[in-house]
Amino acid sequence: MNSIPVARTVAHTKQSLKNRVKIPSLVLLLALSACAGVPVQEMSNARQALEAAREVGAETRATAELQSAEALLQSAEQALQEGDYKQARKAAEASRAQAVQAQDKSLNQ
């Protein structure tokens, strides 16, 4: 009588281990695919940050920072056209950061 519950327990343990491996693998796969995808949100964030910086006068108050943000966005767009999504994401994030700096500088002058 004891062999049936043990067999079920062993089978259940094996299935449980398989599920424990599947879930982290699925999470990792989703994370990697998110990184490898087109950086639509990052590009949008950079464009919006640039527009916000322009609206507060960064063209005259933070010219260097704004020009840097614009150049980084152009670099991101070029990388996007070439299919280099990792570089596009990196440049878009840097563009957004520069645009935020331009906006901050404009508001604090």
Side-chain angles (χ1 to χ4, degrees):
M1 284 178 62
N2 288 342
S3 65
I4 293 172
V6 171
R8 286 184 184 163
T9 304
V10 170
H12 184 276
T13 302
K14 286 181 180 179
Q15 186 61 35
S16 179
L17 287 174
K18 286 181 183 178
N19 287 341
R20 287 184 190 163
V21 171
K22 286 181 186 177
I23 292 171
S25 297
L26 180 61
V27 170
L28 179 62
L29 179 63
L30 289 173
L32 290 175
S33 65
C35 292
V38 179
V40 175
Q41 188 64 52
E42 290 85 351
M43 297 294 288
S44 177
N45 291 348
R47 289 184 188 106
Q48 289 176 13
L50 274 164
E51 185 58 33
R54 288 185 191 106
E55 287 176 4
V56 296
E59 291 171 327
T60 57
R61 295 181 185 146
T63 306
E65 292 84 354
L66 186 65
Q67 287 176 348
S68 175
E70 290 170 338
L72 285 163
L73 182 59
Q74 286 177 349
S75 176
E77 289 170 347
Q78 181 66 36
L80 191 63
Q81 288 177 358
E82 294 171 1
D84 188 350
Y85 299 150
K86 184 178 179 182
Q87 182 58 37
R89 178 174 285 104
K90 183 178 175 182
E93 289 171 347
S95 173
R96 183 191 134 327
Q98 277 295 118
V100 168
Q101 285 184 353
Q103 183 180 15
D104 289 346
K105 184 175 180 180
S106 297
L107 290 172
N108 293 320
Q109 281 189 351

